[in-house]
Amino acid sequence: MTAAARQAAHPGGTEVPAGALAITGFGVVGGAGIGPEPLAGVLAGHRQAPAEPGELFEDDLPGPEGHALTGFSVREHLGRKGTSFLDRGTGLGLLACTLALADAGLDVHDGNRARIGITLGTTHGSMKSTSDYSRATHTEHRPYHVNPVLFPNAVMNSVAGQAAIRTGLHGPNSTVAGGTTAMAQVLRYGRNLIGCGYADTLLAGTVEEFSPQHAWAVRAIQAAEGGDLPPGEGAAVFVVRSAAAVRAAGDEPLAEILAAEVGSFDPPGEDPARYTAGFAACLHRALHRARVRPDQVGTVCTGGNGMPALDGAESRALDEVVGSTAPRIAVADAVGESGAAFGGLQLACVLAAHRAGAQSELFLLSSRSSDGSVGVLLVRTGMRS
């Protein structure tokens, strides 16, 4: 493709800003199903009805519906070896990592395993595993009656650690606790890891499991902030490299992450004006880093979830910086309140749509949480399908 043709094919331009990352493959698992196909129509407004996951758990749920993958069995996909004591979140994350490596065609061997790392985002690990293990320390008659095999699931970096063991990766291994803004934080951290020479390639993604504990936490937040979306779950993992290195090698990635910016401000419930101003500053910073103009943004995927204070602050910041011309899509309507998995599922929806035939486009993905955190990604699709 000539430079002129490439410019015409990519409305967001073709320049590679410093620190940009290229996505060369991805794996996604969520309430809609396994792989990108179930998410391909989300940006076009296609929605799947939530499932009824009550039979998966002994404990009661706050409501009958949830965007959970009810038929998921880690053994079915990864075999019996080493999977007997994995919790649900670890199983989802391992499968997403495996799918991402296969999608990228990345063969891990002794010559590259030390240069491939893993960075995964979470809220605070598995709420169910942590809760169950902690409860057992109080309810069992003797300390040694608590099953020690379950302890690894109760630590926050369980998924990233198990993924490195299973895939044989020896590069940097990190877990970022960022809640709903975790995907932006993971990619920002990954940009620094690769830019500083600690790794050539990363598996970068987010994971959150559905559980009674997660569902009740969602219910409590909604009681305080508004909203009525069912809880969700998922794992989305992306194989990322330096965009400049990928271009230099003559390869064409699925998409390029032109900017990943995060911020933490006064919660919108305490000072809406300062939160909106902070959100707008983060948007400006992302556009500046990506070297694109606001009018080049084709579609905005918002963090909208029906919580009035958050939705209003985000909308005002977007109006101020990007304007109201670009269509806005709230992915949470399709994937539910999926915690840390939200940002990964949001990005997976964009890539799935492009792989299904959507035109090349510059996307702005925003995320936020009630504690005042915000995350912004600028993603250019259309490098290849």
Side-chain angles (χ1 to χ4, degrees):
M1 182 180 290
T2 65
R6 187 187 294 278
Q7 180 71 41
H10 304 295
T14 60
E15 186 179 2
V16 180
L21 297 174
I23 298 176
T24 61
F26 72 110
V28 58
V29 185
I34 298 173
E37 292 81 7
L39 300 177
V42 170
L43 299 190
H46 298 162
R47 302 285 188 269
Q48 289 189 14
E52 295 186 0
E55 294 182 355
L56 297 177
F57 308 99
E58 295 180 358
D59 296 329
D60 292 336
L61 300 175
E65 296 183 336
H67 291 275
L69 188 60
T70 53
F72 176 68
S73 167
V74 66
R75 287 186 176 184
E76 180 180 333
H77 297 280
L78 300 178
R80 299 178 62 88
K81 185 178 181 181
T83 59
S84 298
F85 294 98
L86 298 182
D87 62 15
R88 185 176 182 85
T90 305
L92 294 172
L94 287 186
L95 180 56
C97 287
T98 303
L99 294 173
L101 286 172
D103 190 56
L106 180 57
D107 179 31
V108 178
H109 50 76
D110 289 343
N112 65 8
R113 69 176 75 251
R115 300 293 300 168
I116 306 174
I118 300 177
T119 301
L120 296 180
T122 179
T123 300
H124 32 58
S126 169
M127 292 179 67
K128 184 176 189 313
S129 295
T130 304
S131 174
D132 289 350
Y133 190 84
S134 299
R135 182 165 54 187
T137 64
H138 294 285
T139 58
E140 294 293 343
H141 186 61
R142 296 291 185 187
Y144 51 82
H145 290 162
V146 179
N147 188 351
V149 176
L150 301 179
F151 178 74
N153 292 329
V155 297
M156 195 171 64
N157 62 344
S158 170
V159 185
Q162 291 286 354
I165 293 169
R166 189 167 190 90
T167 57
L169 301 181
H170 293 176
N173 191 282
S174 316
T175 298
V176 178
T180 51
T181 63
M183 192 69 242
Q185 296 188 36
V186 162
L187 289 172
R188 186 175 184 275
Y189 182 73
R191 178 184 77 203
N192 292 338
L193 279 179
I194 292 176
C196 292
Y198 292 108
D200 297 325
T201 303
L202 287 177
L203 299 186
T206 58
V207 182
E208 190 82 61
E209 68 179 9
F210 186 99
S211 69
Q213 289 80 357
H214 170 63
W216 282 105
V218 168
R219 172 63 66 88
I221 293 171
Q222 289 176 337
E225 303 285 347
D228 59 358
L229 286 178
E233 70 173 352
V237 176
F238 307 86
V239 178
V240 299
R241 298 169 54 198
S242 160
V246 171
R247 291 278 191 95
D251 298 330
E252 292 194 343
L254 290 171
E256 291 176 338
I257 307 296
L258 304 184
E261 296 298 320
V262 298
S264 183
F265 311 99
D266 291 338
E270 297 180 5
D271 192 336
R274 290 190 65 177
Y275 181 76
T276 300
F279 207 137
C282 193
L283 289 166
H284 278 301
R285 197 164 63 244
L287 291 168
H288 178 73
R289 176 175 284 277
R291 299 181 184 178
V292 297
R293 303 186 309 274
D295 64 356
Q296 290 179 300
V297 174
T299 298
V300 176
C301 292
T302 74
N305 61 356
M307 294 183 178
L310 281 167
D311 287 357
E314 180 182 28
S315 182
R316 289 190 293 274
L318 288 168
D319 287 345
E320 176 185 329
V321 179
V322 186
S324 57
T325 303
R328 297 179 188 178
I329 300 170
V331 170
D333 290 340
V335 302
E337 283 286 19
S338 46
F342 168 73
L345 294 174
Q346 192 184 41
L347 181 54
C349 287
V350 169
L351 299 185
H354 176 65
R355 182 164 276 178
Q359 291 184 338
S360 305
E361 200 169 331
L362 180 65
F363 288 86
L364 189 155
L365 279 58
S366 62
S367 54
R368 76 283 153 95
S369 71
S370 56
D371 68 356
S373 300
V374 302
V376 179
L377 298 177
L378 278 163
V379 183
R380 179 166 56 202
T381 63
M383 316 314 291
R384 71 171 166 87
S385 60

